Structure formats: structure tokens, C-alpha cells
Amino acid sequence: MTDTAPDIAHSSSDVRSRLVEHDPQSRFVVQRGLFSGPSTLIDDDLYTHIESGLAYRSRHEVAIEPNAEIDTNTYFGRFPASYWQRWTAVTEVRVQLSYDGAGRIALVASDSDGRDRTVDAVDVDGSGTVEVNGLLDRFVDGGAMWIRINTHTTTLKLSNVAWSVDSPEKIRPAAVVVCTFNRADECAETVAVLGNDAQVVDGLDAVYVVDQGTDPVETREKFQSIAQVLGDKLVYIRQPNLGGAGGFTRGMYEVTDVVGADHANVILMDDDILCEPETVLRVNAFANMTVEPAIVGAQMLGLFHPDRILVGAEHADLSGPKVGIPSTNALVNSSVVKKSQDIRVDAGYNGWWTCLIPSEIIAQVGYPLPLFFQWDDVEYGLRARGRGFATVTLPGAGVWHADFSWKDWDEWHRYFNIRNGLLTAALHSEFDGKVLFRSLSRDLLRFLVGMQYGLAFTQIKAIEDFVQGPEVFHDGGVAAAAGIRRERAMYSETVRHSAAHAPELQNADYQIASAAPWPSMEGLVLAKRLMQQLRGRVNPHPVAIASRDAHWWHVSLFGHAVVTDASQEGVRVRRHNAELMKQLLVRGLRAQWTLRSRAPQIRESYRREFESMTSRSNWARLFGK
């Protein structure tokens, strides 16, 4: 690390001439054929499947031994034909590749049931280039394409695999926006992986890095090195921490300030992902070909379990409000080495771990809400759909992000999940106070019987702040982010401890208590546990409870529980406190009743201020411009 950074672009002036539409190409590459991942942590089976025999895989080349068969019927090897037929006017795709040796190369397709058929095939012998072609004509409900290669008595090497279509009349300019806050090393690595893929960078006009932290990314040697590679394509911006919403919006703000960037693709990307540069190429290519402008999102794969997908596509339920609800027929927490998504599924929104938003949508829909964190991507997707713009979650376009299942929900960000969810519901639903009261009160009771008093307080605080009206969002969430972390610290069970050093306990004091199955009559069980906790009729002896067993109906049987944190990095110690429980119950029900009784007025207050909250002038104020 160095104390000073080299000359890195700090404004968008150098890219103003770049963000214009480009002339068409002879063929437009929409997907490359890769045979291994961008990191040794990634299983090559996500790219190439060896059916029989031996093959040797590298990033851009595969060497296949005699009497072998391989295919690219894999997560990154498949071409999502159903999505291309549904959302674009493209009628045919071509696969071109270089070969050296002898064998058979076939283009294979599946239908929505996963049954395959050969579309085209060619025998090769010698060296050169060859192509196979497939019509996009029988994929409306599902199906994909991939290549299958067989060898007989000789070896065969393949490289330079490119899936291409007829070029659009104009190619849209594209800008990547990476938002970061005190993850300087991770951000530098993400930008470096992206920047070192020359073909992907050639298709980009700008890379914006919006740094909101106190540990600047520009001080990292890796970032300084990649800055030299990216040259004047890199725009590095420092600003106060306005959360993910503020960081990503700054990128949108800068791109849409460029004259001529009326048809640009803005690609939002988290700083802490393991980046697959191919995903940027694929979402950008797809967005160039859609019949109408559409949000094009990548899927999230688990960083700790790289073969597992979070969900194939998702939507929200605003009556809860709840997010992350899987679309019908979508893969959920599944190994994409073992399973494929053949059925086409529609998305309600896409997470901004990597997500493309065309500038035409920004122009008509406006900028995101100043939510700081949580629900900004959900609200924006819902708002776009309300204006006629769909979201497409594109299979085979994925990045690796820390597994959500390893994030404990009893954290400060739960405040933003609740508060911002309520705002989204107020803007995009009937906002029925009675329905919200039932959902929120049920959650409150579960938190209390589970001795999660800090989490109960977090919910209460979120509701109390929300009912105050739009003024709460005036500073973009800065005060709320600091306040909720400070106030939660007063609740002892919000603190994580080493598993070997639980406070006021010796290691022999507690042993694992496993949970019973999910109760069939949840309402009655919840009422019973509530009375038991209020009266102190619980097992006082300390127990250990695994994260997978930390359900409210199990934890509530005890008065002292050492619960494994979902991160598996330590434990939380929950202690029964009937007096605190009563105080929070009364305060929580009072806040929820206020929300229920004033729901129509609250809804209208936010809808009146919506345009002001999402306006360019409001964001300019927050950016200090």
C-alpha cells in the first residue's frame, strides 16, 4: 500500500466523448465459450462437463483426449435460448470456434422439460475455424443450447468459442458502476478482475468507482495498477457514505449527465463479489438486443458454496412486506452443477449485486429512493414494471456473493429492511393497515418469545421512524444508520462472542438442545410460548442451540440460550427478561397500531413527496453538488 495514489480520473469529463452509440459489427458476440472460472476457488464443472474420457480445461481453451466426450451443458456453458426468444427479435444464433485435431462438434438444444435434441453438427479434421447454427424458434416456455464434442482416435483442441447474432444497428455505450464502503481490498480485486479481461473492457466505455469509505480504494497498489490499464475509462469518485443506494445512484447520476448518453447501459456491481467478467458481457449484449428497454440482472451464486444459486428469479410480497420470494419453477438454493434451469421464469426485480439498467428507464422512471440500504433494488424494479419496463434475470449470467444464509438477520441492517419495505409497500400497494398489523405483530411476538429483544427494538424503531413521514429520509439514511447501531448495542444478545468464551458461563454449563419439527398450529404455539415467557415458566438451565435450530418455538422454551450466529463466526447469548419483554411488547403494539390507524394518511404523504425524493436535485443536494 502507498500513501498517495497516481493520477486517477476524479470526474466524468474524460468519458463524455465515449458514452455515445457505436457503429455495428459484422457479428455481435453475445456470449463466449469459457472452459474454467476466473478463480481457482471455482469448480470448472460450472463451465465444462466431462462426460467420458479425459480433457484438460483452461479459461479459453480445452484439450480433449481420444475417445472422450465433453459438453457445455453447464451453468456458464449454456446459451439461454428461451430468454432470447422471449425478450429479443433475434431468430438465429451462431457458434464459431477454432479447432486443432479431429472430432465431432454438435449444437444441442433442450426444451422446457429438459429433453435434448441435436440442432446442428459438423465433423472436423485438421485446424481452422468452424461454425454451427441454431434457430431460436422453439423455446418460448424454456430451453437452452450448448455444444457437445466427441473425439475418436485423435485429440482435439478448441478455443476462441463465440456465440454471436446479427449486430444491432447501433451498439449502446456501457458503463459499470462499482459502489464501495471500506472494502478497499475487495473493491480493488473486483475492478482488477474486470479490467484484466481485455475483450470485456473493449465493450465498456467507462468504469465508475464510487468510494464512500474512509479507507480509500485509490491507495491500493492493485487499484493503481488496474487504473493504468483502464486509462481514461476509469472514473474514481469520493463522496460521503450514503449507503448502496447513494453509491449506485451517483453512478446513474454521472452517466445521465453526459450529453448523448440517451441509450446507455448502466451496469451496477457490488464491491465484494467474486467477479465473472463474462457476466458483464452477457447482460450488456442481451440489453442491446431486447425489443424494449429492460432491466437485465445477473443471478447470485454463493461465495462460500460457488456451485449454489440463491434463486433463479424472485419477487416481493408487499403485504408483509417480504422480499426474496422465489418465482414459480425457479431454482432455489440449488447446485447448478447438478441442476439446470430449463423452464423460463419471470422476475419481479433483480438484486444489484450485478444489474443493468438502461438510461431510457432512468430517464422515465427517475433515480432510486434515498434508502441508504435494503429494498432500493426491489422498489426500483417494481417502479420500472409499473411504467412498463420488465426485469429479466438472465441465466448463465452470475457473480459470487457472500451466501445470504450465512448472514444473521439480527443485525442493524434489519432496521432498513423493515423501514424501507414499508415505504415500498406504501408506494406500490394498497397498504392495508390491518394486513400490515397482523404481519408485523406476528414478527414482533416471535422476536420477543425468542428473547431477541434487540431485534424487537429494531423493528419498533423502524416503524416509529417510518410513521413520521418523508422527512426521515431527508439525509439519505446517514443518521439512522449511525443511530440504530448505537441503540442496538444496549441489548446484550445483539453482541457476538467467541463460542469458547460465552460470558458468565463455563463450557461445561451448556450442551446442545435440538429443535422439534415445525409446529402444525403456529398461532396456538406462539400464544402459549408468549404466556410462558411473560410468566417466566421456562427452563432456566443454559443450553446451546445450533443456528439451524434457532426457531422461535424452540428458543422460547428456555430462559438462557447460547445460539450460534448464522455466520458461524461465534454465538449470541439470549437471556430471559420478562420486564423488558413487556416494555417492548407495549411499545411495539403501540407503534404498529399507529401504523394501522394512520396507514392511508401515511401512504399519501409518501406518494406526495415521491417525485421530490427521487429527483435529480435531491440527489445533487445529498451528493453536495
Coordinates of all heavy atoms in Angstrom, one line a residue, residues 89-135:
A89 N -35.7 -9.9 -30.7 CA -36.2 -10.2 -32.0 C -35.1 -11.1 -32.8 O -35.3 -11.4 -34.0 CB -36.4 -9.0 -32.8
V90 N -34.1 -11.6 -32.1 CA -33.1 -12.5 -32.7 C -33.7 -13.8 -33.1 O -34.4 -14.4 -32.2 CB -31.9 -12.6 -31.7 CG1 -30.9 -13.6 -32.3 CG2 -31.3 -11.3 -31.4
T91 N -33.5 -14.3 -34.3 CA -34.1 -15.5 -34.7 C -33.1 -16.6 -34.9 O -33.4 -17.8 -35.1 CB -34.8 -15.3 -36.1 OG1 -33.8 -14.8 -37.0 CG2 -35.9 -14.3 -35.9
E92 N -31.8 -16.3 -34.8 CA -30.8 -17.4 -35.0 C -29.5 -17.0 -34.3 O -29.1 -15.8 -34.2 CB -30.4 -17.5 -36.5 CG -29.5 -18.7 -36.9 CD -29.3 -18.8 -38.4 OE1 -29.5 -17.9 -39.1 OE2 -28.8 -19.9 -38.8
V93 N -28.8 -18.0 -33.8 CA -27.5 -17.8 -33.1 C -26.5 -18.7 -33.7 O -26.8 -19.8 -34.2 CB -27.6 -18.1 -31.6 CG1 -28.0 -19.6 -31.3 CG2 -26.4 -17.7 -30.8
R94 N -25.3 -18.2 -33.8 CA -24.1 -18.9 -34.4 C -23.1 -19.1 -33.4 O -22.7 -18.2 -32.6 CB -23.6 -18.1 -35.6 CG -22.3 -18.7 -36.3 CD -21.8 -17.8 -37.4 NE -22.8 -17.6 -38.4 CZ -22.7 -16.6 -39.3 NH1 -21.7 -15.8 -39.4 NH2 -23.7 -16.5 -40.2
V95 N -22.5 -20.3 -33.4 CA -21.3 -20.6 -32.6 C -20.1 -20.8 -33.5 O -20.1 -21.7 -34.3 CB -21.6 -21.9 -31.7 CG1 -20.4 -22.0 -30.7 CG2 -22.9 -21.8 -31.0
Q96 N -19.1 -20.0 -33.3 CA -17.9 -20.1 -34.1 C -16.8 -20.4 -33.1 O -16.7 -19.9 -32.0 CB -17.6 -18.8 -34.8 CG -16.5 -18.9 -35.8 CD -16.3 -17.6 -36.7 OE1 -16.2 -16.5 -36.1 NE2 -16.3 -17.8 -38.0
L97 N -15.9 -21.3 -33.6 CA -14.7 -21.6 -32.7 C -13.5 -22.1 -33.6 O -13.7 -22.4 -34.8 CB -15.1 -22.8 -31.8 CG -15.8 -24.0 -32.4 CD1 -14.8 -25.0 -32.9 CD2 -16.8 -24.6 -31.4
S98 N -12.4 -22.1 -32.9 CA -11.2 -22.5 -33.6 C -10.9 -24.0 -33.1 O -11.2 -24.3 -32.0 CB -10.0 -21.6 -33.2 OG -10.2 -20.3 -33.6
Y99 N -10.3 -24.8 -34.0 CA -10.1 -26.2 -33.6 C -8.7 -26.6 -34.2 O -8.2 -26.1 -35.1 CB -11.2 -27.1 -34.2 CG -11.2 -27.2 -35.7 CD1 -10.4 -28.2 -36.4 CD2 -12.0 -26.3 -36.5 CE1 -10.5 -28.3 -37.7 CE2 -12.0 -26.4 -37.8 CZ -11.2 -27.4 -38.5 OH -11.2 -27.4 -39.9
D100 N -8.2 -27.6 -33.5 CA -6.9 -28.3 -34.0 C -7.0 -29.7 -33.6 O -7.0 -30.1 -32.4 CB -5.7 -27.6 -33.3 CG -4.4 -28.2 -33.8 OD1 -4.4 -29.0 -34.7 OD2 -3.4 -27.8 -33.2
G101 N -7.2 -30.6 -34.6 CA -7.4 -32.0 -34.3 C -8.7 -32.5 -35.0 O -9.1 -31.9 -36.0
A102 N -9.2 -33.6 -34.5 CA -10.3 -34.3 -35.2 C -11.4 -34.6 -34.2 O -11.1 -35.0 -33.0 CB -9.9 -35.5 -36.0
G103 N -12.7 -34.5 -34.6 CA -13.8 -34.9 -33.8 C -15.1 -34.4 -34.3 O -15.1 -33.8 -35.4
R104 N -16.1 -34.5 -33.6 CA -17.5 -34.0 -34.0 C -17.9 -32.9 -33.0 O -17.9 -33.1 -31.8 CB -18.5 -35.1 -34.0 CG -19.9 -34.7 -34.3 CD -20.8 -35.8 -34.6 NE -20.5 -36.4 -35.9 CZ -21.1 -37.4 -36.5 NH1 -22.1 -38.0 -35.8 NH2 -20.7 -37.9 -37.6
I105 N -18.4 -31.8 -33.5 CA -18.9 -30.7 -32.7 C -20.4 -30.5 -33.1 O -20.7 -30.3 -34.2 CB -18.1 -29.4 -33.1 CG1 -16.6 -29.6 -32.8 CG2 -18.7 -28.3 -32.3 CD1 -15.8 -28.5 -33.4
A106 N -21.2 -30.7 -32.0 CA -22.6 -30.6 -32.2 C -23.2 -29.5 -31.4 O -22.8 -29.2 -30.3 CB -23.3 -31.9 -31.8
L107 N -24.2 -28.8 -32.0 CA -25.0 -27.8 -31.2 C -26.3 -28.5 -30.8 O -27.1 -29.1 -31.6 CB -25.4 -26.6 -32.1 CG -26.2 -25.5 -31.5 CD1 -25.4 -24.9 -30.3 CD2 -26.6 -24.5 -32.5
V108 N -26.5 -28.6 -29.4 CA -27.6 -29.3 -28.8 C -28.5 -28.3 -28.1 O -28.1 -27.3 -27.6 CB -27.0 -30.3 -27.8 CG1 -28.1 -31.2 -27.2 CG2 -26.0 -31.2 -28.5
A109 N -29.8 -28.7 -28.1 CA -30.8 -27.8 -27.5 C -31.7 -28.6 -26.6 O -31.8 -29.9 -26.8 CB -31.7 -27.1 -28.6
S110 N -32.2 -28.0 -25.6 CA -33.2 -28.6 -24.7 C -34.5 -27.9 -24.8 O -34.6 -26.8 -25.4 CB -32.7 -28.6 -23.2 OG -32.7 -27.2 -22.8
D111 N -35.6 -28.5 -24.3 CA -36.9 -27.9 -24.2 C -37.2 -27.6 -22.7 O -36.3 -27.8 -21.9 CB -38.0 -28.7 -24.8 CG -38.1 -30.1 -24.2 OD1 -37.7 -30.3 -23.1 OD2 -38.6 -31.0 -24.9
S112 N -38.4 -27.1 -22.4 CA -38.7 -26.7 -21.1 C -38.7 -27.9 -20.1 O -38.6 -27.7 -18.9 CB -40.1 -26.0 -21.0 OG -41.1 -26.9 -21.5
D113 N -38.8 -29.1 -20.6 CA -38.8 -30.3 -19.8 C -37.4 -30.9 -19.6 O -37.2 -31.9 -19.0 CB -39.7 -31.4 -20.4 CG -41.2 -31.0 -20.3 OD1 -41.5 -30.3 -19.3 OD2 -41.9 -31.3 -21.2
G114 N -36.4 -30.2 -20.3 CA -35.0 -30.7 -20.2 C -34.6 -31.8 -21.2 O -33.5 -32.3 -21.1
R115 N -35.5 -32.1 -22.1 CA -35.2 -33.1 -23.1 C -34.3 -32.5 -24.2 O -34.6 -31.4 -24.6 CB -36.4 -33.7 -23.7 CG -37.3 -34.5 -22.7 CD -38.6 -34.8 -23.2 NE -39.4 -33.6 -23.6 CZ -40.7 -33.7 -23.9 NH1 -41.4 -34.8 -23.8 NH2 -41.4 -32.5 -24.2
D116 N -33.3 -33.2 -24.6 CA -32.3 -32.6 -25.6 C -32.5 -33.1 -27.0 O -33.1 -34.2 -27.2 CB -30.9 -32.7 -25.1 CG -30.4 -34.1 -25.0 OD1 -30.6 -34.9 -25.9 OD2 -29.8 -34.5 -24.0
R117 N -32.0 -32.3 -27.9 CA -32.1 -32.7 -29.3 C -30.9 -32.0 -30.0 O -30.4 -30.9 -29.6 CB -33.4 -32.2 -30.0 CG -33.5 -30.7 -30.1 CD -34.9 -30.4 -30.6 NE -35.1 -28.9 -30.9 CZ -35.3 -28.0 -30.0 NH1 -35.5 -28.3 -28.7 NH2 -35.4 -26.7 -30.3
T118 N -30.3 -32.6 -31.1 CA -29.2 -32.1 -31.8 C -29.8 -31.1 -32.9 O -30.7 -31.5 -33.7 CB -28.4 -33.2 -32.5 OG1 -27.8 -34.0 -31.4 CG2 -27.2 -32.6 -33.3
V119 N -29.3 -29.9 -32.9 CA -29.7 -28.9 -33.8 C -28.8 -28.8 -35.0 O -29.3 -28.6 -36.2 CB -29.7 -27.5 -33.1 CG1 -30.1 -26.4 -34.1 CG2 -30.7 -27.5 -31.9
D120 N -27.5 -28.9 -34.8 CA -26.5 -28.9 -35.9 C -25.3 -29.6 -35.5 O -25.0 -29.7 -34.3 CB -26.2 -27.4 -36.3 CG -25.5 -27.2 -37.6 OD1 -25.4 -28.2 -38.4 OD2 -25.1 -26.1 -37.9
A121 N -24.5 -30.1 -36.5 CA -23.3 -30.9 -36.1 C -22.4 -30.8 -37.3 O -22.8 -30.8 -38.5 CB -23.6 -32.3 -35.7
V122 N -21.1 -30.9 -37.0 CA -20.1 -30.9 -38.1 C -18.9 -31.7 -37.6 O -18.5 -31.7 -36.4 CB -19.7 -29.4 -38.4 CG1 -19.1 -28.7 -37.2 CG2 -18.7 -29.4 -39.6
D123 N -18.3 -32.4 -38.5 CA -17.1 -33.2 -38.3 C -15.9 -32.3 -38.7 O -15.9 -31.7 -39.8 CB -17.0 -34.5 -39.0 CG -18.0 -35.5 -38.5 OD1 -18.3 -35.5 -37.2 OD2 -18.6 -36.2 -39.3
V124 N -14.8 -32.3 -37.9 CA -13.6 -31.5 -38.2 C -12.4 -32.4 -38.2 O -12.4 -33.4 -37.4 CB -13.5 -30.3 -37.2 CG1 -14.6 -29.4 -37.3 CG2 -13.3 -30.8 -35.8
D125 N -11.4 -32.0 -39.0 CA -10.2 -32.8 -39.0 C -9.1 -31.8 -39.6 O -9.2 -31.3 -40.7 CB -10.3 -34.0 -39.9 CG -9.1 -34.9 -39.8 OD1 -8.2 -34.6 -39.1 OD2 -9.1 -36.0 -40.4
G126 N -8.1 -31.5 -38.8 CA -7.1 -30.6 -39.2 C -7.1 -29.4 -38.2 O -7.2 -29.6 -37.0
S127 N -7.0 -28.2 -38.8 CA -7.1 -27.0 -38.0 C -7.7 -25.9 -38.7 O -7.7 -25.9 -40.0 CB -5.6 -26.5 -37.5 OG -4.9 -26.2 -38.7
G128 N -8.4 -25.0 -38.0 CA -9.1 -23.9 -38.7 C -10.2 -23.4 -37.8 O -10.2 -23.5 -36.6
T129 N -11.2 -22.8 -38.4 CA -12.4 -22.4 -37.7 C -13.6 -23.0 -38.3 O -13.6 -23.4 -39.5 CB -12.6 -20.8 -37.8 OG1 -12.7 -20.5 -39.2 CG2 -11.4 -20.1 -37.2
V130 N -14.6 -23.2 -37.5 CA -15.9 -23.8 -37.9 C -17.0 -23.2 -37.2 O -16.9 -22.5 -36.1 CB -15.8 -25.4 -37.6 CG1 -15.9 -25.6 -36.1 CG2 -16.9 -26.1 -38.3
E131 N -18.2 -23.4 -37.7 CA -19.4 -22.8 -37.1 C -20.6 -23.8 -37.1 O -20.7 -24.6 -38.0 CB -19.8 -21.5 -37.7 CG -20.3 -21.6 -39.2 CD -20.6 -20.3 -39.8 OE1 -19.8 -19.3 -39.7 OE2 -21.7 -20.1 -40.4
V132 N -21.4 -23.7 -36.1 CA -22.7 -24.4 -36.1 C -23.8 -23.3 -35.8 O -23.5 -22.3 -35.1 CB -22.7 -25.5 -35.0 CG1 -21.9 -26.7 -35.5 CG2 -22.2 -25.0 -33.7
N133 N -25.0 -23.6 -36.3 CA -26.0 -22.6 -36.2 C -27.3 -23.2 -35.6 O -27.6 -24.4 -35.9 CB -26.3 -22.0 -37.6 CG -25.1 -21.3 -38.1 OD1 -24.9 -20.1 -37.9 ND2 -24.3 -22.0 -38.9
G134 N -28.1 -22.3 -34.9 CA -29.3 -22.8 -34.4 C -30.4 -21.7 -34.4 O -30.1 -20.5 -34.2
L135 N -31.6 -22.1 -34.8 CA -32.7 -21.2 -34.8 C -33.3 -21.0 -33.5 O -33.4 -22.0 -32.7 CB -33.8 -21.7 -35.8 CG -33.4 -21.8 -37.3 CD1 -34.6 -22.4 -38.1 CD2 -33.1 -20.4 -37.8

